[in-house]
Amino acid sequence: MKHIQQLLTLGILCLFVSCSEDFLDLNPKGIASENLLTTPENAEKMVIAAYSGQGNEKYNLKPLSPWPYGDLRSGDAYKGGAGVGDRSQWHSAETFINLTPTDRGVRGKWEIEFQAISRTNQALYFLNKVDFAEKTTRIAEMRFLRANNYFWLKVNFRYVPFIDENVPVTEYNTIGNDLSDAELWGKIIEDLQYAVDNLPTTHIDGAVGRPTKYAAQAYLAKVLLFAAYEQDETNQVININTEKLDRVVSLADEVLQLSGKSLFSDFANNFTCETQNGIESLWAIQFSHNDGTPTGRVNGTNQVVYPMVEEYGCCGYHSPTQNLVNSFKTSNGIPDFENYNAGNIEGAINIQEYSIDPRLLHTVAMDGLPYKYKADFLLNAKTWPRQPETYGSFMSMKETVIYDSPCYQPVNPWKADSKNRDVIRIADVILWKAEALIQLGKEQEALSLINSIRNRAAQSTTRLVDINGQPTGNFDVQPYVDGINCIWSQEFAFKALQWERRLEFACEGFRAYDLLRWGIMSETLNDYFLVEKTRRAHLSNAIFTKGRDEYLPIPKDEIDLSRNLYKQNSGY
């Protein structure tokens, strides 16, 4: 069809120029030839275009931010918004009902990641044809970016075609999605290893958006950790590769010891505009504001998460679940593993009745409590959410900014911000290392790592105060002490690790992929639905089908375009 359209266009043009031979010698305006692009200057522009592609956030079916599929498919967040028919594709993702290969959101997720990959491949194609001082570094950057997008495709779709810059466009339709898990992980690992070997250890000229060697090592550790949990054809974990876990530990050690990165003293600093690109951030997607364009380079997915209140305006998506809120309860300073879900935290009306981890109030906005650390700006459960009768009144807060923040940007009728989105922060690396150690039977070495995260949480209360300067919660977080408040066995240590990742990264979009890695999606989500459907009617028919719902379906349109070369995932 595309070729037919081109021929028709040429025919129409011939009518106007009588098809003279001179016409055939003209370069079409607005089209750059390959020879023109093959210069160091233009190769650099292609690199910038690839970076830009990493931030092409589109809430309308094409999110790059992980929360629409990482939180909604995990029990950490409801879809939110104006009922189940509002962005119905996300309702299907949340409930696992009617999530089919024809789902528009599924296809959008596939397309947006491959669009970003296309930009990196184009940049690499031209970089390989020129010579300049930064060439190797730029190639390493592009392979890092490509690995990032392929990682998200891998954990969402499992089997995807791997296309690099060496594949001619004319051969795209010969490449299927038949690489094995090991082969596809291997391709991503190869890209990241190249980045590790060729990226500088520091940001050159303050270019904080570019990855460093340590960001690449951290991402490589992440990919190896996922790859270590080997799955069968029905998506079930059947083996844990200890060789890969050893590499995770080694890579994490180097990042923790040499990168110069460390935890913020206050958890809040990970989620404010003023402290972005700080000491804890290893690599973040960069957004911009007041950059000479009408609305800046803002996070398009987050346009729909702000409250329905005068200072903002729209749209109440990404609503934390009651289960998530309850999970922040503590007992004797550690998570209330067994009884956390008995009795609901609802807001100011009863929050002081429970001992809680302060990370709750950095993550979730709730009735009668300050929003985003502004003590006199209190959430109203009746007016702030878009449809509280369906989704309750909790609102996600990590990804937003206060309305007077320098990052805030109205894009009416939506609201948005230019706050960067961390892809990897040092807390990730600490907990990846702890997880690998526990699975290797070295749980005692993991204890101090997990406790470092908990100790930071315990001291992150300065901003959690009301208008009178009083704490907004009954905060109680203690480190694990073997033989005192726990028995630090391998089994308990792994449970503590899993819980810590949920509390630390709640509503950042990673939860579903953690459950996938650990092989516990089915039992976790069906247990969640059993109770949560009694609280939220929109979950009444929700059910997770083991052996299918671990991954999204391969979009039918993509299978059709490949002429059935792409194979569908298990169960669809």
Side-chain angles (χ1 to χ4, degrees):
M1 179 61 73
K2 182 177 179 182
H3 294 304
I4 292 172
Q5 290 173 335
Q6 290 171 340
L7 288 172
L8 287 172
T9 302
L10 180 59
I12 293 169
L13 287 170
C14 284
L15 292 176
F16 288 97
V17 298
S18 301
C19 283
S20 69
E21 292 182 2
D22 291 342
F23 168 74
L24 300 177
D25 296 327
L26 297 175
N27 286 323
K29 292 182 178 180
I31 298 177
S33 69
E34 181 173 320
N35 288 336
L36 180 63
L37 287 172
T38 309
T39 67
E41 181 183 12
N42 286 322
E44 286 277 32
K45 291 178 181 178
M46 301 290 279
V47 167
I48 297 303
Y51 276 107
S52 179
Q54 299 295 317
N56 274 350
E57 296 282 357
K58 299 177 182 179
Y59 78 88
N60 55 339
L61 305 181
K62 293 186 178 182
L64 282 166
S65 286
W67 67 257
Y69 292 105
D71 286 339
L72 304 189
R73 287 165 45 86
S74 75
D76 269 11
Y78 315 125
K79 175 183 73 68
V84 299
D86 182 23
R87 298 292 163 197
S88 60
Q89 68 279 357
W90 287 352
H91 174 71
S92 297
E94 180 188 348
T95 60
F96 301 91
I97 301 171
N98 299 324
L99 187 66
T100 69
T102 60
D103 184 274
R104 293 181 304 156
V106 168
R107 185 181 184 188
K109 180 60 175 173
W110 177 285
E111 287 181 351
I112 195 67
E113 297 291 352
F114 270 114
Q115 286 169 9
I117 288 168
S118 176
R119 292 196 182 202
T120 61
N121 281 342
Q122 289 172 19
L124 284 164
Y125 178 81
F126 286 102
L127 284 167
N128 287 330
K129 289 178 173 292
V130 297
D131 287 309
F132 62 108
E134 296 82 11
K135 173 179 177 174
T136 301
T137 299
R138 296 292 180 261
I139 289 174
E141 292 172 13
M142 293 301 95
R143 293 185 69 172
F144 177 96
L145 296 188
R146 183 169 65 190
N148 174 57
N149 296 113
Y150 267 115
F151 170 81
W152 291 114
L153 284 166
K154 181 75 179 73
V155 296
N156 278 291
F157 296 99
R158 188 171 184 179
Y159 296 120
V160 298
F162 189 89
I163 298 171
D164 64 20
E165 75 278 13
N166 298 310
V167 179
V169 174
T170 55
E171 294 182 13
Y172 282 6
N173 62 358
T174 68
I175 298 176
N177 65 335
D178 52 357
L179 290 179
S180 68
D181 274 337
E183 289 170 328
L184 188 49
W185 282 129
K187 294 286 189 181
I188 300 171
I189 289 167
E190 184 179 335
D191 270 352
L192 288 170
Q193 187 61 60
Y194 185 93
V196 169
D197 293 340
N198 293 284
L199 286 175
T201 58
T202 59
H203 293 117
I204 306 299
D205 298 326
V208 293
R210 299 183 191 271
T212 65
K213 172 187 179 73
Y214 300 115
Q217 285 181 316
Y219 217 136
L220 180 55
K222 178 179 184 176
V223 169
L224 286 165
L225 184 62
F226 273 82
Y229 292 80
E230 297 169 355
Q231 297 179 348
D232 64 17
E233 289 306 304
T234 62
N235 310 328
Q236 308 311 302
V237 175
I238 55 173
N239 182 56
I240 300 177
N241 187 309
T242 57
E243 182 179 348
K244 287 184 170 63
L245 294 181
D246 283 330
R247 288 192 65 193
V248 171
V249 173
S250 177
L251 287 163
D253 274 340
E254 190 158 349
V255 174
L256 294 173
Q257 293 169 14
L258 301 178
S259 69
K261 295 290 184 176
S262 61
L263 295 174
F264 275 123
S265 59
D266 191 327
F267 186 63
N269 289 337
N270 288 297
F271 314 109
T272 65
C273 172
E274 295 78 5
T275 49
Q276 61 187 354
N277 293 325
I279 191 68
E280 189 163 341
S281 177
L282 276 160
W283 187 61
I285 305 298
Q286 306 290 307
F287 297 99
S288 62
H289 191 70
N290 295 329
D291 57 4
T293 60
T295 58
R297 177 75 171 168
V298 296
N299 188 322
T301 302
N302 289 350
Q303 289 181 16
V304 296
V305 304
Y306 280 93
M308 305 290 292
V309 67
E310 181 180 359
E311 288 80 357
Y312 294 119
C314 198
C315 291
Y317 284 82
H318 196 204
S319 175
T321 67
Q322 186 68 64
N323 180 284
L324 173 65
V325 169
N326 291 344
S327 71
F328 285 87
K329 292 178 186 174
T330 62
S331 177
N332 297 320
I334 66 173
D336 191 1
F337 296 108
E338 304 303 324
N339 300 305
Y340 78 97
N341 215 18
N344 295 330
I345 299 175
E346 298 175 352
I349 191 172
N350 74 336
I351 194 169
Q352 295 286 349
E353 296 175 15
Y354 301 96
S355 298
I356 61 170
D357 188 312
R359 285 174 290 189
L360 170 61
L361 299 186
H362 293 284
T363 305
V364 182
M366 58 183 70
D367 188 40
L369 293 172
Y371 184 85
K372 206 67 184 180
Y373 315 124
K374 194 171 182 64
D376 60 350
F377 191 47
L378 308 181
L379 188 150
N380 185 314
K382 295 180 180 179
T383 59
W384 283 41
R386 193 172 183 184
Q387 195 169 104
E389 64 271 24
T390 300
Y391 297 111
S393 61
F394 301 137
M395 308 200 80
S396 178
M397 207 162 45
K398 284 181 175 178
E399 70 271 44
T400 66
V401 299
I402 198 62
Y403 58 82
D404 58 3
S405 166
C407 286
Y408 182 56
Q409 174 63 62
V411 283
N412 292 322
W414 298 278
K415 311 301 169 184
D417 63 79
S418 60
K419 180 165 68 68
N420 298 338
R421 172 169 62 83
D422 277 317
V423 178
I424 299 176
R425 50 189 177 89
I426 206 70
D428 275 306
V429 181
I430 291 170
L431 291 179
W432 293 334
K433 179 183 176 183
E435 180 177 339
L437 287 169
I438 292 167
Q439 295 289 35
L440 288 167
K442 301 177 181 179
E443 63 273 9
Q444 292 299 327
E445 295 180 41
L447 179 56
S448 63
L449 294 168
I450 294 174
N451 279 341
S452 70
I453 302 293
R454 295 188 61 74
N455 290 335
R456 191 268 294 274
Q459 67 188 36
S460 299
T461 59
T462 303
R463 302 188 194 190
L464 304 180
V465 294
D466 62 20
I467 198 168
N468 297 313
Q470 296 302 305
T472 48
N474 179 18
F475 304 125
D476 185 18
V477 174
Q478 302 295 328
Y480 292 105
V481 182
D482 190 15
I484 303 297
N485 59 11
C486 68
I487 302 299
W488 194 255
S489 63
Q490 184 180 28
E491 180 181 4
F492 182 88
F494 193 54
K495 179 169 70 172
L497 178 281
Q498 291 173 317
W499 212 273
E500 206 62 33
R501 277 203 60 85
R502 187 182 195 190
L503 301 180
E504 180 73 12
F505 298 103
C507 291
E508 294 181 47
F510 305 135
R511 172 71 170 169
Y513 309 113
D514 285 343
L515 299 178
L516 170 69
R517 178 172 77 255
W518 298 326
I520 59 171
M521 285 191 84
S522 177
E523 51 266 48
T524 301
L525 283 159
N526 284 324
D527 285 349
Y528 158 77
F529 289 139
L530 191 64
V531 176
E532 205 75 3
K533 67 177 57 177
T534 68
R535 299 164 172 162
R536 302 285 183 259
H538 76 282
L539 296 174
S540 59
N541 296 317
I543 188 169
F544 185 98
T545 300
K546 190 173 184 177
R548 181 192 71 185
D549 291 335
E550 290 85 1
Y551 293 95
L552 301 175
I554 306 299
K556 181 180 183 301
D557 285 347
E558 300 298 333
I559 293 176
D560 292 344
L561 287 170
S562 77
R563 298 182 181 181
N564 294 315
L565 189 61
Y566 297 167
K567 304 305 178 186
Q568 187 53 269
N569 282 333
S570 170
Y572 290 101

